[in-house]
């Protein structure tokens, strides 16, 4: 009985020793660890810029869709307004109790926007996030677009959306004289990878 217990203890000790030796053999050397860390660093250096670019492109697409939605909403509400018109304008005081339009020469929409009619304020839009910029051009009044009861603005125009990707990745919404909006495309021949505004010119991003 005693010899059996001693034998079992010996076997256990040998088993533990063998497992420890196996662990020592299967572990990483310092050189191997350095190689792994270097590979991970290279992979991160490649992946991070690509991820940031993807996020920036998605930001532009999302906000372009929002602008198109705002225009469609303002056109729809114009047919219901008692005075037969609805105004979409840029606003620098969207958090005020009664937000108002910015100056007529202000075509910068980064701080927010409002939609209103003779019946009162209809909708308030929040300021753009991050480094996104939104500019309007071509409309009869900078920073202010009035839709009549047919949904038509006073003139055609373009909303241009930019971020750190520059003009080659900029998005734009073109609004026709009938009030219909579309996503701008590159109409140049040969293509120069920059979308065109309502008169066929390349959109421009504000200088940083």
């Amino acid at each position: 009985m005693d010899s059996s217990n001693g034998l079992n203890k010996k076997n256990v000790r040998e088993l533990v020793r063998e497992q420890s030796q196996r662990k020592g053999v299967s572990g990483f050397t310092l050189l191997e660890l350095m190689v792994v860390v270097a590979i991970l660093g290279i992979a991160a250096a490649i992946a991070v810029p690509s991820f940031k670019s993807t996020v920036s492109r998605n930001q532009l697409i999302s906000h372009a869709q929002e602008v198109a939605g705002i225009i469609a909403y303002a056109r729809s509400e114009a047919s219901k307004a008692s005075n037969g018109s609805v105004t979409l304008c840029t606003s620098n005081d969207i958090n005020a109790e009664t937000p108002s339009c910015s100056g007529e020469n202000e075509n910068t929409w980064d701080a927010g926007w409002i939609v209103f009619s003779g019946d009162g304020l209809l909708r308030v839009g929040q300021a753009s996030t991050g480094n996104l910029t939104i500019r309007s051009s071509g409309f009869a009044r900078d920073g202010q677009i009035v839709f009549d009861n047919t949904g038509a603005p006073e003139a055609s125009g373009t909303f241009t959306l930019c971020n750190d990707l520059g003009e080659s990745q900029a998005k734009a919404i073109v609004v026709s004289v009938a009030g219909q909006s579309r996503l701008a495309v590159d109409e140049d021949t040969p293509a120069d990878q920059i979308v065109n505004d309502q008169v066929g010119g390349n959109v421009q991003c504000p200088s940083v």
Side-chain angles (χ1 to χ4, degrees):
M1 186 73 175
D2 292 338
S3 61
S4 177
N5 289 338
L7 181 60
N8 290 338
K9 291 179 180 178
K10 181 180 179 181
N11 290 341
V12 170
R13 286 197 297 270
E14 289 178 352
L15 181 60
V16 171
R17 186 183 304 111
E18 289 176 0
Q19 289 177 339
S20 298
Q21 290 174 348
R22 291 195 193 101
K23 290 180 180 178
V25 171
S26 62
F28 288 109
T29 65
L30 179 59
L31 179 59
E32 289 172 331
L33 286 173
M34 291 175 64
V35 171
V36 171
V37 170
I39 292 173
L40 289 175
I42 294 172
I46 295 173
V48 170
S50 177
F51 176 74
K52 287 183 177 179
S53 295
T54 299
V55 171
S56 294
R57 283 194 292 271
N58 288 340
Q59 177 195 40
L60 287 171
I61 293 171
S62 175
H63 280 80
Q65 292 173 340
E66 182 181 1
V67 170
I70 294 165
I71 295 167
Y73 172 77
R75 291 189 69 210
S76 175
E77 291 299 313
S79 63
K80 309 172 189 176
S82 59
N83 65 343
S85 68
V86 160
T87 300
L88 165 64
C89 68
T90 180
S91 176
N92 293 323
D93 59 356
I94 58 174
N95 294 317
E97 183 175 349
T98 305
S100 59
C101 292
S102 306
E104 289 190 5
N105 295 324
E106 178 63 73
N107 70 338
T108 300
W109 296 72
D110 306 343
W113 49 266
I114 59 174
V115 178
F116 68 91
S117 69
D119 301 321
L121 186 66
L122 299 175
R123 184 170 292 184
V124 177
Q126 297 301 311
S128 59
T129 57
N131 57 0
L132 179 77
T133 62
I134 305 175
R135 301 289 186 270
S136 61
S137 60
F139 295 106
R141 286 174 276 186
D142 288 335
Q144 191 171 128
I145 307 157
V146 180
F147 296 90
D148 65 21
N149 60 359
T150 67
E154 297 168 299
S156 62
T158 302
F159 285 92
T160 301
L161 299 88
C162 301
N163 59 15
D164 55 351
L165 295 178
E167 290 168 352
S168 64
Q169 297 294 326
K171 302 296 180 185
I173 300 296
V174 176
V175 183
S176 71
V177 291
Q180 297 175 332
S181 61
R182 63 175 176 83
L183 184 65
V185 296
D186 182 5
E187 302 170 353
D188 295 319
T189 304
D192 59 5
Q193 308 305 315
I194 301 176
V195 299
N196 298 107
D197 60 20
Q198 81 282 357
V199 294
N202 284 348
V203 300
Q204 296 183 339
C205 294
S207 57
V208 179

